Amino acid sequence: MTWRLALLLVLLVPAVPWSQAQIDRRAGAFRVQEEVLYLWSGTRVKRFFPGFEDVAADLYWLRTVQYFGGQRLFAANKRFELLRPLIEISTTLDPRLEMAYRYGAIFLSEPSPIGAGRPREGIEVLETGVRNLPGSWRLRQDLGFFNYLYLHDSERAAAILNEAAALPGAAFWLRTLAADLLAKGGDRAASRRMWQQMFDQAEAGIIKENARMRLQILDSLDRGDRLSRLAAEFQRQRGRLPARLDELRVAGLWNGPLVDAADVSFGYDPKTGRVFIDKASPMWRPE
Amino acid sequence: MSRLVAVAANTFRETVRERVLYNLVFFAILMTLSGLLLGQLSIRQDEKILKDIGLAAMDLFGTLIAIFIGTGLVSKEIERRSLYPLLAKPLTRGEFFLGKFAGLAFTLLVNVAVMTAGLALTLLATGRRPALALLGAVYPILLGLLLVVAFAMLFSTQTSAALAAVLTVGVVVAGRFADVVRNMREVAPDVPPWLAEGLYAVLPNFQNFDFKDKVAYGDPVPGGVLAWVTIYGVVWIAIVLCLGLVSFRSRDFQ
């Protein structure tokens, strides 16, 4: 009898990983859990965890990071629909979870396929954060940055950066950045300073990588603009635009690479002489 | 006094024999896994989340022990009839009742102390400095747990362990919703004010023992507040233990 049971066990145990492998093969090893605890409102979720709201917020936040990472890396159709509700539940359960506002806003604001491509929602998340944590200059700084970087509203961005600068412990450069935004109406140099600040402030991880990529995009845009100016110079010297970008090299106007920061060749319009980041490059972003 | 201590020591030994402290193994696994994984998953929130998880586990495991062991302390002795030979000895019902309470209180103290040490070690292992401020949340948790034990024992003097557990859970849940009880007229305006106020006054407010959030974020827990929480907790525990004693003394075991 015992040996029969042992035999049965020997047969059954491998059946578990085997059946799991079959399920994974059919449904995909990574399956986005669309139901994610079928999202109640944050207030309602809060009522289910009396005394344990903070740990529930942590769990929801971990789930948010997992959901975002899962969608970004594995999902065929990146949708991010649950991102905002998950962030809201996390921050309703723990209104002081500053990282949830800051990272959540990035997740929401970055254009697809990097993020959800919904910068207005990202800004709304930061606005909620500013209301809940009125003493946090970093949240206001991010709100100012996002208004400029994603909505291109330099006036509002400058006003918010000035508010941030007035808070205790705020970085000294916030006021000068706000003044620059007001004076110049915003330019690439202001964007560079903002992304550089985000890069410097962030610890290793998604935000730092995102800021690094944004800085590389700005470098690529600068290089593209410089090449466009050289194409105009070529036209002034030769009376025609170059047919191909490498003609700039032959003419001795440029001896650097003709690729962007991702080593992808720049696009070039021989009719207008405009040099641009190719759509196939990871550096490309919608205008 | 020595008889009370003897009952308490015996109760502690009994809980150890019932493998109550095995929950520490779960706690150790939980903290180890959290320490290993949170750095990757939480994005700069690992210290705060470690504290949240550690303190919540203390509260949750402690509450479960307080309810399910607390309700069995008296009722099991009655059901197994092992109480009768004890009471035939020179041992008063009061000594028996308070000894049982003290024994489980000591078990919870050991449990919470080991968990606190475990949380501090996990923080150290992940490169954080565990601050003494952790005790600002741990101490009120312990006070709250003692109140839960007192309620569990009160109910178990008159009912079965199962029903006592249900009643205790009811009191704990209602006590954790104290703010809802106080503000219930905002969502149900027909509720008479005396009912809302009466319920709020009668129910123990378990939110008073919750400083987990403050400690996790590194906010100070003022000594004055802790002193008042201590007074509130001790008064409640004393009242419930007195009620339990009265109930236990008045019970006819024939």
Side-chain angles (χ1 to χ4, degrees):
Chain A
M1 192 63 189
T2 311
W3 70 266
R4 278 184 194 162
L5 277 175
L7 182 67
L8 189 63
L9 269 177
V10 169
L11 289 173
L12 284 176
V13 168
V16 175
W18 177 73
S19 55
Q20 182 64 61
Q22 295 304 313
I23 295 166
D24 287 345
R25 197 161 64 80
R26 284 162 179 79
F30 176 82
R31 294 189 293 283
V32 181
Q33 291 178 18
E34 295 294 353
E35 74 283 6
V36 190
L37 307 178
Y38 254 115
L39 299 163
W40 308 301
S41 73
T43 328
R44 196 174 292 180
V45 173
K46 198 170 183 164
R47 282 291 159 225
F48 278 86
F49 301 99
F52 297 97
E53 293 92 344
D54 279 15
V55 83
D58 299 337
L59 291 176
Y60 267 96
W61 175 238
L62 293 177
R63 192 75 191 88
T64 310
V65 176
Q66 207 186 350
Y67 172 77
F68 175 72
Q71 284 288 342
R72 190 171 140 171
L73 297 175
F74 302 110
N77 300 313
K78 301 178 196 313
R79 295 191 309 201
F80 301 107
E81 284 129 327
L82 300 179
L83 197 50
R84 176 89 188 268
L86 280 169
I87 294 166
E88 279 184 351
I89 292 175
S90 306
T91 54
T92 306
L93 285 165
D94 182 0
R96 293 207 285 170
L97 198 57
E98 189 183 83
M99 280 300 129
Y101 301 112
R102 298 188 73 195
Y103 284 71
I106 290 259
F107 296 167
L108 281 166
S109 303
E110 276 295 287
S112 179
I114 307 294
R118 303 199 296 265
R120 280 192 192 281
E121 289 186 29
I123 285 170
E124 281 166 20
V125 165
L126 284 172
E127 284 169 346
T128 310
V130 164
R131 275 196 302 278
N132 289 338
L133 292 166
S136 166
W137 66 268
R138 285 187 196 281
L139 275 177
R140 272 181 214 267
Q141 166 206 278
D142 286 2
L143 183 59
F145 283 6
F146 278 47
N147 268 285
Y148 176 69
L149 295 170
Y150 294 106
L151 301 187
H152 311 294
D153 186 343
S154 36
E155 263 184 44
R156 185 163 156 66
I160 296 168
L161 290 178
N162 272 325
E163 284 171 17
L167 291 171
F172 65 94
W173 44 262
L174 284 169
R175 264 188 219 288
T176 54
L177 186 55
D180 279 358
L181 286 184
L182 281 179
K184 298 175 188 168
D187 55 12
R188 198 174 291 159
S191 299
R192 186 183 294 282
R193 282 177 68 184
M194 290 179 188
W195 286 116
Q196 189 63 53
Q197 282 303 333
M198 284 206 218
F199 180 80
D200 293 343
Q201 287 173 18
E203 285 178 13
I206 297 174
I207 300 281
K208 204 170 190 76
E209 281 314 304
N210 191 57
R212 186 201 307 277
M213 177 163 261
R214 284 295 192 162
L215 287 168
Q216 287 176 339
I217 290 170
L218 292 174
D219 289 343
S220 302
L221 287 170
D222 282 352
R223 190 183 288 174
D225 286 354
R226 201 164 157 212
L227 288 169
S228 295
R229 284 197 299 276
L230 289 175
E233 176 64 20
F234 184 97
Q235 187 182 26
R236 207 172 52 77
Q237 288 177 6
R238 310 270 171 105
R240 67 170 177 86
L241 283 165
R244 295 184 318 278
L245 272 184
D246 56 5
E247 277 192 62
L248 294 175
R249 270 204 190 128
V250 177
L253 290 170
W254 176 258
N255 56 9
L258 294 168
V259 292
D260 62 22
D263 279 338
V264 176
S265 297
F266 279 110
Y268 174 62
D269 181 355
K271 287 179 190 147
T272 60
R274 196 173 77 86
V275 179
F276 52 88
I277 296 172
D278 195 275
K279 256 192 165 178
S281 169
M283 296 289 116
W284 182 84
R285 290 290 183 280
E287 298 269 327
Chain B
M1 189 66 182
S2 64
R3 289 191 297 257
L4 191 150
V5 173
V7 175
N10 196 52
T11 305
F12 177 68
R13 274 196 295 273
E14 199 181 332
T15 55
V16 173
R17 266 203 303 273
E18 284 188 13
R19 299 181 176 90
V20 167
L21 296 178
Y22 273 26
N23 78 95
L24 293 172
V25 178
F26 289 112
F27 182 78
I29 294 170
L30 183 70
M31 292 318 295
T32 309
L33 286 178
S34 305
L36 289 173
L37 297 176
L38 283 177
Q40 303 294 317
L41 290 174
S42 61
I43 316 183
R44 286 184 64 186
Q45 290 293 295
D46 45 334
E47 183 182 0
K48 187 250 171 197
I49 297 182
L50 271 177
K51 286 180 185 170
D52 278 344
I53 292 178
L55 294 171
M58 269 179 226
D59 198 354
L60 184 66
F61 291 164
T63 305
L64 291 176
I65 292 172
I67 293 173
F68 292 103
I69 303 297
T71 50
L73 286 181
V74 176
S75 56
K76 267 188 192 167
E77 300 274 5
I78 299 170
E79 283 162 20
R80 288 194 305 227
R81 295 174 189 275
S82 49
L83 178 70
Y84 305 142
L86 279 174
L87 294 181
K89 291 180 177 172
L91 177 74
T92 65
R93 289 190 185 194
E95 284 167 339
F96 174 82
F97 189 79
L98 292 177
K100 286 278 180 187
F101 174 80
L104 186 52
F106 186 66
T107 306
L108 287 169
L109 175 69
V110 170
N111 203 53
V112 166
V114 175
M115 283 184 174
T116 307
L119 174 57
L121 280 176
T122 312
L123 287 170
L124 265 180
T126 50
R128 318 282 175 173
R129 258 182 53 194
L132 207 62
L134 269 182
L135 298 179
V138 173
Y139 167 66
I141 287 175
L142 184 62
L143 265 180
L145 295 179
L146 297 185
L147 182 54
V148 177
V149 175
F151 269 106
M153 290 183 66
L154 164 67
F155 293 130
S156 71
T157 56
Q158 291 297 330
T159 62
S160 67
L163 188 56
V166 172
L167 291 170
T168 314
V169 168
V171 170
V172 171
V173 171
R176 285 181 183 268
F177 282 121
D179 60 329
V180 179
V181 173
R182 180 160 59 175
N183 303 319
M184 72 163 86
R185 293 191 70 242
E186 284 179 20
V187 282
D190 295 338
V191 172
W194 61 264
L195 183 62
E197 282 159 24
L199 269 177
Y200 183 69
V202 165
L203 281 171
N205 188 341
F206 278 97
Q207 290 177 336
N208 288 343
F209 304 110
D210 188 4
F211 292 91
K212 297 194 287 287
D213 176 71
K214 274 185 179 293
V215 168
Y217 277 110
D219 293 346
V221 181
V225 175
L226 277 183
W228 277 110
V229 168
T230 306
I231 292 170
Y232 180 85
V234 168
V235 168
W236 257 107
I237 292 167
I239 292 171
V240 180
L241 283 179
C242 284
L243 287 172
L245 260 176
V246 170
S247 165
F248 188 54
R249 278 186 178 148
S250 65
R251 182 146 178 197
D252 186 1
F253 291 113
Q254 285 181 341

